[in-house]
Amino acid sequence: MVTIRDVAKAAGVSVATASRALNGMSIVTAKTREKIEAAATALDYVPHSGARSLTKRKTDTIGVILPDLFGEFFSEIIRGIDLVTHRAGKSLLLGNMHGSAEETAQAIRAMRGRVDGLLVMPPNSRADTVEAVTRDIPTVLLNAQGTDDVTPFVSVDNYAGARLVTNHLIDRGARNIIHIAGPANNRDARERQRGYCDVLAERTGNGSPLILPGDFRDDAGREAARLLLTSGITFDAVFASNDMMAVELMSELRVAGLQIGSDILVAGFDDIPLARHVTPGLTTVHSDITRVGSTAAELMLRMMEGETLERDQSLIIAPTLAIRGSSGGGAGTART
C-alpha cells in the first residue's frame, strides 16, 4: 500500500510538507503543491481516512440514524440525503435503532468521533428522545420538530395531509370512511388521525369515526381488510395511515371480489414509489419523502461549514394529494 512517505519521497519533499499539501493547507507554494499532487496521482495514493480526520479534525462523514433501513419510505429518505451529500463529496454512515429510544442513544454514542454531524429520525417522531444526547454535535432532525428551539428540523405537515385526503374521499361521495391508524405512540400517526377525525366531524357530523388499529406495517393492512370483510361493518372508503397498509388492504379486498376505485375507495399516505405501480394506482398524500432527506442534508452541510441555523430556517413541508385509480381518479396521477 502506498503511504504518504512514498509520495513525499517521490516529490522530493518532507512528509510534513506532503501532508499539508494533500490536506489543502495554504502554506504550501503552488509549485510544490503541483509536484506533490502529481506524485500522489502517479502512485495512485489514497489517503488514510482515520489519519486524515485526526489532522483535519473532520471526517467528511455524516451520520444518519433511522428507525429502520428497510422499506421504500426509508430508502427514499436515504436517497434524498445521498443526492446532496454525494455531490458535496461527503460520506454517509448509516445506523438503525429499530424505533427504540435506548438504541437511538447507543447509535448516537457509537458515531461520536466518526462523523461531523447527525441526521436523526427520532423514535415515534419524538424529538425529546434524542435532543439530550445530541447537544454537543451538529444535528438535524428528520420528520420531527425540535422542542428546544435550537435543533433544526425537516418535517411534513401530517395534519394538513390527512385533511386533504379525507376531504378528497368525501368529495368522491364516500360517507362511511374507515381509518387504519398508525402506532399509538407515533406523533405522525396521531396527527394523521386527528386530521381525518376533524374533517369527518366538520363535513359529515360524524363525531365517532371508526378507527382500526395499525402499526405502519403491511400485515396491519391485511388484518384490517379481513376484519372489515367479516364484521359486517358498513364502509365505502378506507384511509390508511401509510401506503404499505393501504396496498395490502387493497390486495385483500380485491381477492374478496371488490373493485377498488368503484366499490370501495382507498387512500394512503407518503406516496412511496410502489403507490404508482400497483393496480389500480394508489391515491395518497405526497409528502415528498426524498425532499425531506435532501433538505435535511443541505441544512447539515451549512452547519458543517460553521453556520448557526435559526429555528425559522427549519422546514415543514406542505404535502399535496396524488390522485390515482384507487379513489376513482383514473389511471394517471393528478396532483392537488
Side-chain angles (χ1 to χ4, degrees):
M1 182 180 294
V2 177
T3 69
I4 196 168
R5 293 181 181 277
D6 299 319
V7 175
K9 183 178 180 180
V13 298
S14 68
V15 172
T17 299
S19 177
R20 294 188 191 103
L22 294 175
N23 281 296
M25 297 184 182
S26 59
I27 56 177
V28 181
T29 66
K31 183 177 180 180
T32 300
R33 185 187 306 280
E34 289 174 5
K35 185 166 58 174
I36 293 168
E37 289 176 348
T41 300
L43 293 171
D44 198 20
Y45 170 67
V46 178
H48 186 280
S49 60
R52 189 170 189 176
S53 67
L54 288 173
T55 302
K56 298 171 64 179
R57 296 188 180 277
K58 289 185 178 180
T59 65
D60 287 329
T61 300
I62 296 172
V64 182
I65 301 176
L66 301 173
D68 206 335
L69 299 181
F70 302 98
E72 291 193 83
F73 178 86
F74 297 107
S75 294
E76 288 298 290
I77 289 278
I78 294 170
R79 186 168 75 89
I81 294 170
D82 184 63
L83 286 171
V84 172
T85 55
H86 179 73
R87 189 167 57 239
K90 309 298 182 184
S91 300
L92 295 180
L93 181 61
L94 300 180
N96 180 356
M97 39 64 171
H98 303 285
S100 160
E102 182 179 342
E103 289 188 36
T104 304
Q106 291 174 353
I108 291 170
R109 287 193 290 269
M111 287 192 179
R112 291 185 184 280
R114 304 168 66 189
V115 299
D116 297 328
L118 290 171
L119 303 179
V120 183
M121 184 179 292
N124 296 314
S125 301
R126 288 185 51 198
D128 59 317
T129 59
V130 302
E131 286 173 331
V133 288
T134 58
R135 295 186 191 281
D136 59 345
I137 184 170
T139 301
V140 178
L141 299 175
L142 296 157
N143 248 31
Q145 298 183 30
T147 61
D148 56 9
D149 293 327
V150 175
T151 308
F153 63 86
V154 181
S155 65
V156 174
D157 192 335
N158 291 282
Y159 176 77
R163 289 188 63 92
L164 273 177
V165 73
T166 308
N167 272 308
H168 167 71
L169 293 173
I170 293 173
D171 290 342
R172 290 288 185 186
R175 290 297 177 269
N176 299 303
I177 305 172
I178 307 297
H179 180 56
I180 307 175
N185 57 354
N186 183 283
R187 179 184 172 277
D188 290 350
R190 292 197 305 271
E191 286 295 285
R192 295 172 190 184
Q193 180 174 315
R194 185 169 71 89
Y196 153 81
C197 290
D198 285 355
V199 170
L200 278 194
E202 293 164 8
R203 295 196 58 184
T204 70
N206 183 356
S208 303
L210 182 55
I211 299 170
L212 302 182
D215 57 7
F216 285 160
R217 299 181 183 276
D218 50 8
D219 56 358
R222 291 193 294 270
E223 290 172 7
R226 291 165 187 163
L227 175 62
L228 290 172
L229 290 168
T230 58
S231 64
I233 296 171
T234 300
F235 67 104
D236 51 17
V238 180
F239 163 39
S241 192
N242 79 341
D243 290 344
M244 288 306 302
M245 294 191 297
V247 167
E248 291 302 318
L249 172 102
M250 288 200 304
S251 178
E252 288 290 320
L253 295 182
R254 281 200 307 270
V255 170
L258 295 174
Q259 295 296 314
I260 308 301
S262 54
D263 296 338
I264 300 296
L265 310 185
V266 178
F269 202 113
D270 287 330
D271 201 13
I272 61 176
L274 179 62
R276 299 157 221 164
H277 302 301
V278 294
T279 303
L282 176 65
T283 290
T284 182
V285 178
H286 178 74
S287 56
D288 213 342
I289 311 167
T290 306
R291 186 183 173 199
V292 172
S294 62
T295 302
E298 288 166 356
L299 292 176
M300 175 52 62
L301 291 176
R302 290 166 59 185
M303 295 175 75
M304 289 167 63
E305 291 298 320
E307 185 175 345
T308 300
L309 300 182
E310 303 295 332
R311 185 177 175 87
D312 61 7
Q313 291 172 296
S314 297
L315 177 65
I316 300 177
I317 295 174
T320 57
L321 191 60
I323 301 172
R324 302 189 179 101
S326 71
S327 64
T333 298
R335 289 277 178 82
T336 62

